[in-house]
């Protein structure tokens, strides 16, 4: 079921038009109500009248976690506090405590997003859905709960650390859906395994709030016997439900009528093409309490604007795979540092450690991989070195899309503090 | 402010009339929808047509915690589960796990009760109220939160065990109200003391969910510098908000349009007069999901139907002082066992322990107090025994309203397991 077909399935042109209209309003609203943001715009010589639609989005200044800290506690609030119906505290992406405030309208928007997300996971008003929230994050649980209510389903709100018998809950309540963190769902999987039973009438699990991989997902899906759907959100933006996954499980649909998503090169902050990695930057189009324009999430992902097989036209993003400090651009390609790290670590037969250096040579990016081994002589004898170099060249080359220069360290070992098996140095940044 | 003057201030006759009308409807509703309760009525030869108003309340069978257990998980539900919007689990008064379900209407009723309760404590739509819920009881927190929303105030939902700086919260959010357990408010009082500051802009605290005394309240009020209001509720009935306290602090106003309160003699289950201790028994007049007729709470209190100085006419109950097993009737007077215990314990100058026995003699209740002391000789010498006996006779006599027979144990010490300083034996029960 598509919860809000009019919004989730509109053509790209219609969506861009809708977003543009809301953007123009939002910029005026922020300019009038948030002195801090008005100053930012004035500094750029920018006035609300300069923004006519989505084509002008790039002119607008970013908002960062630091901006929120600078204006703490409520300098970014766009309404008088009397209009707020709820406050929440959160640890920002940069770790500092922040305060957010919601108007009734903001909460309604949240429940709409959550209802869409549950519907994407195949849940509907006949379902009984357990909300296993983290006790230290009540605000998040409240957003999830409001979505179940909006959907017209029945909610079972329980703390995620409650050591009650989950299996018996599934039977007693005829529970059909569950939302929780990967670790809570892992607990569910263990319960099912332990009791040697199936997941009962469970239809779907929605999983978010912490990092997990496709491998974990597959393991969980196999153990529980149901599909597990990704969900994305950030407390600064709203909470979980900014994007959610449909039955096709090919990325999470962004609620684009409420949130503009841009994927930007982490170095140049200009848009990258669909399918390329970059930092996802959000503009909250219809929030009233603490709206954000071009909020730098520091989250790395890809976007895809193709129509999905499920019928939705909303853009899809991949599960967040890293943070901005974990990505480099090599000859224009975005590379996740940990993909290099993983590939080298998986060469288990080579007992070595590596220093990967990214440099500029004659204006071009080059990559050098230095293989170091305490048992260097052994390595060279057994293999004469060339084969080792070729294997390293191949795995790294595949990731960075070009041939790296690989050599074996023959002098004294390089000394690095906090040595890891793979050390990556981007000399271009120095 | 009185939140709902039409309901909270109606004349006794009007209220009885309103309750009667709802009761008639309720009995029909339960008879049609709850097979278990229908059987109970049939056993008594009772049909819905026999109930014409409040005057017939006493004809109806009780509902006990055991009934809820017998019909676990959902045999007492009066609606199909598809009509429920939320489930909750709770530990019943008898300790067993129970399941409750709420329709949207039930939740609306709860928020109305909570809004009235906050208004009684002098809070209004301009206030910022912290909901410090117990993480293991999310359902309760949700009810409290819905009341803040209904009131139109701003909520700060936080887990009660969150070790964030509460004082800084008060300043940052301009927090004016707080609801929490006595222990959480004790924590607040310690914070205020530690930082050598006042409670800032705090206006009122609402305190419930655990046992506390007037002495603790006074201490807390002095430390925090604001009034602390009692609140009463039970998960079986709804949650907190069944009754709440006004500025007069002379008992908690029962939301009588939603809940009929009866105070019954724990032995005979017949009504006791206003001001007399007894078990409070509730009928939920307008609940849909799990309505309860004459639910035995096992909570001991008094009721007062006089109009309150605040203007409300709704009946007031005292803070719950004990459970049914803690009360005895001696010559028709209800006596709290612990009041005897406390009085004897406070006779610190007498180093003794006591066995209080309640017996029937010639059809009359009599009370014997046996004083035991390991240092009996010492006691008798210093005091010749008579003065000790007189003092014990006086303090116990004052509580039970008659002269007890007091003697000093001169033979071998009575052996009792789990010996306490005061042991009370009701021989009439054997």
């Amino acid at each position: 079921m598509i919860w809000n077909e009019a919004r989730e399935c509109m053509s790209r042109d219609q969506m861009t038009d809708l977003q543009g209209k809301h953007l123009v309003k939002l910029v005026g609203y922020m300019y009038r109500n948030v002195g801090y943001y008005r100053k930012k715009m004035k500094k750029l010589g920018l006035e609300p009248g300069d923004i006519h639609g989505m084509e002008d989005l790039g002119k607008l200044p970013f908002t960062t976690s630091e901006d929120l800290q600078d204006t703490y506690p409520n300098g970014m609030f766009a309404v008088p506090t009397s209009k707020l119906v709820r406050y929440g505290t959160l640890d920002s992406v940069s770790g500092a405590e922040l305060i957010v405030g919601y108007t009734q309208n903001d909460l309604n928007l949240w429940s709409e997003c959550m209802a869409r997300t549950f519907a994407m996971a195949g849940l509907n008003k006949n379902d009984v859905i357990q909300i296993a929230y983290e006790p230290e994050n009540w605000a998040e649980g409240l957003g999830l709960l409001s979505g179940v209510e909006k959907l017209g389903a029945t909610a079972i709100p329980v703390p995620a650390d409650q050591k009650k018998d989950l299996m018996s809950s599934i039977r007693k309540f005829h529970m059909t859906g569950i939302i929780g963190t990967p670790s809570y769902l892992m607990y569910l999987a263990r319960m099912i395994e332990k009791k040697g039973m199936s997941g009962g009438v469970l239809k779907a699990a929605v999983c978010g709030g912490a990092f997990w991989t496709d491998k974990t997902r597959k393991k969980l899906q196999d153990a529980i016997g149901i599909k597990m759907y990704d969900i994305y959100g950030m407390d600064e933006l709203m909470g979980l439900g900014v994007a959610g996954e449909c039955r096709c499980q090919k990325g999470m649909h962004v609620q684009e009528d409420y949130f503009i998503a841009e994927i930007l090169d982490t170095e140049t902050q200009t848009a990258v093409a669909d399918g390329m990695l970059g930092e996802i930057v959000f503009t909250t189009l219809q929030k009233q309490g603490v709206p954000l324009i071009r909020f730098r999430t520091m989250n790395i992902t890809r976007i895809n604007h193709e129509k999905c097989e499920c019928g939705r036209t909303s853009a899809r993003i991949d599960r967040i795979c890293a943070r901005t400090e974990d990505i480099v651009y090599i000859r224009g390609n975005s590379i996740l540092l940990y993909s290099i790290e993983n590939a080298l670590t998986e060469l288990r037969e080579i007992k070595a450690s590596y220093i990967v250096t990214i440099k500029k040579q004659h204006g071009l990016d080059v990559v050098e991989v230095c293989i170091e081994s305490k048992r260097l002589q052994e390595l060279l004898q057994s293999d004469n070195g060339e084969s080792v170099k070729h294997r390293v060249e191949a795995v790294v080359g595949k990731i960075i899309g070009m041939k790296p220069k690989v050599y074996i360290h023959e002098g004294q070992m390089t000394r690095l503090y906090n040595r890891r098996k793979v050390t990556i140095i981007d000399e271009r940044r120095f």
Side-chain angles (χ1 to χ4, degrees), chain A:
Chain A
M1 191 186 82
I2 296 175
W3 179 257
N4 192 333
E5 214 167 318
R7 293 303 186 87
E8 296 177 79
C9 302
M10 59 172 61
S11 74
R12 181 54 39 197
D13 283 353
Q14 283 175 313
M15 181 55 83
T16 305
D17 192 48
L18 181 74
Q19 289 186 321
K21 278 181 187 148
H22 282 303
L23 181 65
V24 170
K25 267 194 226 166
L26 173 70
V27 172
Y29 178 76
M30 289 285 277
Y31 194 87
R32 279 194 309 279
N33 298 312
V34 186
Y36 182 87
Y37 197 76
R38 184 166 57 240
K39 268 186 213 146
K40 269 195 149 185
M41 280 179 67
K42 280 188 172 166
K43 222 172 175 176
L44 294 175
L46 205 61
E47 295 214 344
D50 300 328
I51 307 300
H52 305 96
M54 280 295 283
E55 66 277 15
D56 297 319
L57 179 63
K59 293 179 184 169
L60 289 164
F62 293 111
T63 308
T64 63
S65 188
E66 285 70 33
D67 290 330
L68 296 177
Q69 286 164 48
D70 290 349
T71 56
Y72 177 90
N74 60 2
M76 289 292 280
F77 285 16
V79 296
T81 48
S82 63
K83 297 259 186 239
L84 298 173
V85 298
R86 196 185 294 166
Y87 279 114
T89 57
L90 61 102
D91 293 326
S92 70
V93 287
S94 53
E97 190 196 85
L98 295 179
I99 290 177
V100 286
Y102 306 87
T103 64
Q104 188 55 53
N105 218 58
D106 292 341
L107 295 181
N108 297 349
L109 185 157
W110 196 358
S111 59
E112 166 72 15
C113 288
M114 283 307 316
R116 291 184 194 175
T117 307
F118 285 126
M120 278 192 227
L123 298 167
N124 61 47
K125 68 183 169 58
N126 300 318
D127 284 299
V128 177
I129 306 170
Q130 185 186 98
I131 308 291
Y133 83 112
E134 299 296 308
E136 67 277 13
N137 193 354
W138 194 17
E140 193 68 88
L142 291 172
L144 300 174
L145 182 72
S146 74
V148 178
E149 282 169 6
K150 179 97 182 180
L151 192 69
T154 313
I156 315 173
V158 291
D161 64 351
Q162 190 155 330
K163 291 291 169 281
K164 295 245 162 136
D165 187 346
L166 196 51
M167 293 311 300
S168 117
S169 270
I170 291 175
R171 282 193 305 267
K172 274 180 328 209
F173 296 113
H174 302 283
M175 203 172 105
T176 51
I178 184 167
I179 177 158
T181 56
S183 63
Y184 188 68
L185 294 172
M186 193 67 88
Y187 165 66
L188 173 64
R190 275 199 305 270
M191 282 299 108
I192 287 177
E193 207 170 39
K194 202 168 139 191
K195 310 245 166 174
M197 50 188 303
S198 78
V201 291
L202 267 185
K203 280 164 58 180
V206 179
C207 185
F211 190 75
W212 66 323
T213 63
D214 265 336
K215 216 165 144 181
T216 308
R217 160 143 86 178
K218 200 181 166 319
K219 221 165 92 181
L220 283 173
Q221 288 191 158
D222 289 348
I224 304 180
I226 53 165
K227 276 200 179 179
M228 320 212 67
Y229 297 91
D230 263 319
I231 184 171
Y232 173 74
M234 281 183 78
D235 289 340
E236 286 92 336
L237 298 171
M238 173 179 83
L240 285 177
V242 171
E245 202 179 33
C246 68
R247 62 179 164 78
C248 303
Q249 295 192 311
K250 287 181 179 164
M252 294 178 280
H253 289 275
V254 177
Q255 309 297 352
E256 287 189 279
D257 48 338
Y258 295 130
F259 301 97
I260 302 171
E262 302 172 80
I263 308 282
L264 304 182
D265 182 303
T266 57
E267 293 211 327
T268 64
Q269 271 87 55
T270 54
V272 300
D274 273 27
M276 297 282 287
L277 286 174
E279 178 182 3
I280 188 158
V281 169
F282 280 105
T283 299
T284 67
L285 283 174
Q286 299 193 47
K287 269 182 68 187
Q288 295 176 334
V290 196
L292 297 172
I293 291 179
R294 306 191 85 201
F295 180 68
R296 299 278 303 268
T297 64
M298 298 173 79
N299 288 163
I300 299 296
T301 186
R302 298 178 178 86
I303 201 163
N304 173 4
H305 285 87
E306 277 170 32
K307 185 179 169 174
C308 179
E309 280 172 38
C310 74
R312 288 177 188 82
T313 52
S314 41
R316 280 166 290 164
I317 55 171
D318 277 8
R319 191 184 297 134
I320 303 307
C321 59
R323 288 165 54 81
T324 43
E325 56 264 37
D326 304 326
I327 201 168
V328 286
Y329 288 83
I330 299 173
R331 294 198 186 174
N333 293 318
S334 52
I335 312 290
L336 285 176
L337 293 175
Y338 80 73
S339 62
I340 302 178
E341 205 172 318
N342 283 357
L344 288 171
T345 308
E346 281 180 9
L347 291 173
R348 286 183 217 286
E349 72 281 15
I350 308 176
K351 307 261 180 265
S353 56
Y354 308 87
I355 296 177
V356 180
T357 312
I358 310 162
K359 304 178 171 181
K360 274 254 190 268
Q361 257 177 13
H362 312 301
L364 272 184
D365 297 326
V366 293
V367 175
E368 288 180 4
V369 182
C370 169
I371 307 173
E372 293 189 347
S373 176
K374 282 183 183 162
R375 293 180 293 172
L376 189 61
Q377 290 312 316
E378 202 182 312
L379 183 71
L380 292 175
Q381 271 164 23
S382 70
D383 197 84
N384 90 11
E386 283 312 301
S387 151
V388 169
K389 278 163 75 174
H390 284 311
R391 267 180 288 160
V392 169
E393 194 178 275
V395 296
V396 176
K398 199 174 158 193
I399 291 162
I400 65 175
M402 58 180 267
K403 219 167 151 180
K405 190 183 164 196
V406 180
Y407 60 95
I408 295 180
H409 188 80
E410 299 194 72
Q412 206 194 335
M413 296 283 286
T414 311
R415 300 280 168 216
L416 286 169
Y417 293 102
N418 295 320
R419 261 320 272 293
R420 297 171 65 176
K421 200 167 158 62
V422 181
T423 303
I424 299 173
I425 300 167
D426 188 351
E427 286 194 351
R428 302 166 309 174
R429 294 198 177 182
F430 301 141

